Amino acid sequence: MRKFVMTSLYLIVFMSLALAQGTISGTVFSDGDVVEPLSGAHIVAFLTDSNHPVGDAESGDDGGYVLEVPFGEYHVKAVKWGFEPEWYDNAHHRSEAAVVTVTEDYNSEGIDFALAEFQQQGGSISGRIIEEGTDNGIGMAHVRATRIADEPFNRSTMSNWDGHYNLHNLPPGAYVVEAEKWGWSDGIYPETLLVDNNTFENIDIFLSQDGDETGSISGVITDAATGDPVEGAYIIARGEHHFNTRHGISGEDGSYTINGLNTDTYRVVAHKDGYYPGEYADPIPIDGNEVIDIDIALNVFIPTGIMGMVTDGDTGEPIAEARVIAINVNNHHMHRSTITGEDGVYVLEVPPGEYRVEARFWGYTSEVYPENVIVPEDGFVDGIDFVLTTINFGSVSGQVTDTEGNPVVHAYIRARMQDGFFRRHTRTDENGDYTLDEVIPGSYIVHAIKFGFSPGAYPDPVIVEDGQEVTGIDIVLEPFEPPYDGYIGGTVTDSDTGEPIANGRVLAVGRGDMPHHHWAFRRAFTAEDGTYLLENMPEVPFKLFGVHPDYIGEFYDNAHSFWEATPVTPNAEGIDFALTLRTLGVRSISGTISIDGFDDPGECVVYAKVDGQIVSVGISDIDGFYTLNDLEIGTYDISVFSVYGEGDLGYPADLTFDDLQDADITLDPTSIDDNAELLPNTSFLKQNYPNPFNARTMIAFNIIETVDVELAVYNVIGQKVATLTDGVYQAGSYQVTWDGFDLNGQLTASGIYYYKLSIGDYSETRRMTLLK
């Protein structure tokens, strides 16, 4: 694991937001018998030459919306569940959409939509997926209907245990129907189906086995308490190669047989409503043989969980729709949540175990139940009640100016709570003024971001008391100097056909040359001819990544990881990518990136690999949440890199049966980056984090050459309090921790302290605050 990978990744989302210079606004109406404002509609803007959404907004109670976007030309779309989507102006396809323009002198207003209620489509296709030469249904096959004319559309499903499938609610069009499953040949229905509110039945697709002679597993499923046979149990035989998976159903006598098993070693699991899942104790090797007597006894399921009530601490009234969360203390991946009813009561079903239980509702202080809750194996724990206290919100306001005192318009402002996960953000107005409303009392770091300026922050923590309006939190931003004018260009093509790939994306990450801004991040989209151009780049080495949702992504030059990528220095042309098509699936992986010892991971790059190839990539939000979509059923290796280092999920992400929603990754920020290409080019000392702190704080510094280094802490009268490190360091990026203890091993008092980095003739000092 490496440390301090890319400081500017922390700014990816901020810098994107900071590009916004204008607005698109309008009203969304319902287009029915009664025309009225429509709230909760989602409005999205796309650059006319891109499929990437640039901005989005939601309509309010009056149907109105305001969408902030960079200057440019856009296609704008409005969508809402239960209504037909619409492109501006009254277009049902993007090819017919009117162009909306936003310039420095012009904001587009009156971009209105009238959405018609969704009418159920009558078209459907159904049939079976069948083993070639037999009448045996093939379960868990992926079936997809693709419209081959008009605007692209596809719908997919999985066949059931007997091979049946049903694709319904299909809009009119000409469709091709395909089926696929690991271990079987792909199949396609030989005819094109013209769907127009009609029904196609018996659209059967035949698949044949790939590979060696197959074997079988059979046995009986019984009730563990009575010994009676269990009918209708669902049995899964899953191979060590997770794609080798077959299924069966137990009959009236509890017996089952699973045929068509490829050579592999299998685990056999049985499921049945009203019973706990049961697994055969030993793995079963199959090599064309028939294995019998694989019997499983199932135990009756006894619901277990937690019950209670959530009320208002001031009025005693029940709080409806409060969220209650239970996290297993021995396995944080196992957590469940529910919401309270109108009477404030909740019932949360969880397996037996020990849980940390928390209640949350907007406008109230979250509460953790004072003791861990032990859920027994024979029922529910009742009386786990919560009394929530209303929050007396405060506010933070100020002005953002440049170094000459001019207001900075549309700067992005964010306040981050130092000892919690709460965030607030807004933008400055035409006078550079901003106000952050509904701020929870606490200590905040306030940042300002604006494209063309160095990011800035208010120098001290901002303390917000109950109901307090904190004013005068002014921030000065320094323009970037000198302007960067380097470029990197090339083409992204299909590796098989050589055809250009439009609307692909090229990301570039490189080392900057200014203290505290050592990493630069650029992105560009490919045009219709597959070309891209990255502009305004400093002349430093960059590593490039090419990606498109339909293709396997890769780093330049044909590399499959950030560290293997060949660096490119502007000005450079012919930096080309040849991407290989990937099969899009119906599964997704999501989770949260966290940094051990920190509460703010910043943006992280997450990617999924199969056999060493990157098949999907995403960027987490500022709180570390990420999602990788359109994945095939299968097993993936998930990796991540961020400003704190790189890491991985630690186990294969199995998408055989369902989406993976708890793929959480924790990075260790203490590892040292030893990659020679990533060594810092300026020695400097960073601000400690968190600051103020009450237990421990982390101090980071960079060294550009092998040298004697001392990092020490002093009190306000200049006396040395602690020596954090003293010795010879090689060039690199480092972090040390101070836990508040002095040279005598005594815990120091609350107050202001100074930490000083000494490197030869160079020294730098910063201030920090210890609070107890």
Side-chain angles (χ1 to χ4, degrees), residues 685 699 701 709-715 718-727 729 736-738 741-743 753-759 763-768:
L685 178 65
I699 301 171
F701 58 92
V709 174
E710 182 188 52
L711 180 62
V713 179
Y714 297 85
N715 60 24
Q719 296 172 325
K720 182 182 288 189
V721 173
T723 300
L724 304 184
T725 187
D726 186 7
Y729 279 70
V736 296
T737 299
W738 186 42
F741 286 88
D742 63 17
L743 294 169
Y753 293 88
Y754 296 87
Y755 58 98
K756 180 179 180 181
L757 177 69
S758 300
I759 308 172
S763 66
E764 185 174 355
T765 301
R766 288 180 174 270
R767 188 177 72 169
M768 59 184 169

Side-chain angles (χ1 to χ4, degrees), residues 81-102:
W81 179 258
F83 292 81
E84 297 283 355
E86 179 181 305
W87 293 90
Y88 184 75
D89 177 25
N90 195 32
H92 295 290
H93 305 294
R94 185 173 180 179
S95 59
E96 304 167 356
V99 175
V100 176
T101 302
V102 178

Side-chain angles (χ1 to χ4, degrees), residues 288-301:
N289 54 319
E290 298 179 358
V291 179
I292 62 175
D293 298 331
I294 305 302
D295 304 333
I296 300 175
L298 300 181
N299 292 294
V300 174
F301 173 72

Side-chain angles (χ1 to χ4, degrees), residues 341-415:
E342 292 295 328
D343 57 359
V345 174
Y346 72 91
V347 177
L348 181 56
E349 189 173 299
V350 295
E354 184 178 358
Y355 292 86
R356 176 184 181 272
V357 188
E358 180 179 356
R360 303 174 184 172
F361 192 69
W362 174 250
Y364 291 80
T365 302
S366 299
E367 182 184 347
V368 177
Y369 198 72
E371 301 173 353
N372 288 342
V373 178
I374 308 297
V375 177
E377 296 185 358
D378 58 355
F380 282 78
V381 178
D382 200 356
I384 307 303
D385 301 331
F386 295 89
V387 178
L388 303 187
T389 304
T390 55
I391 297 172
N392 188 12
F393 289 112
S395 66
V396 176
S397 62
Q399 185 183 41
V400 180
T401 59
D402 62 19
T403 51
E404 296 182 356
N406 300 312
V408 178
V409 179
H410 285 163
Y412 180 81
I413 311 298
R414 186 184 76 157

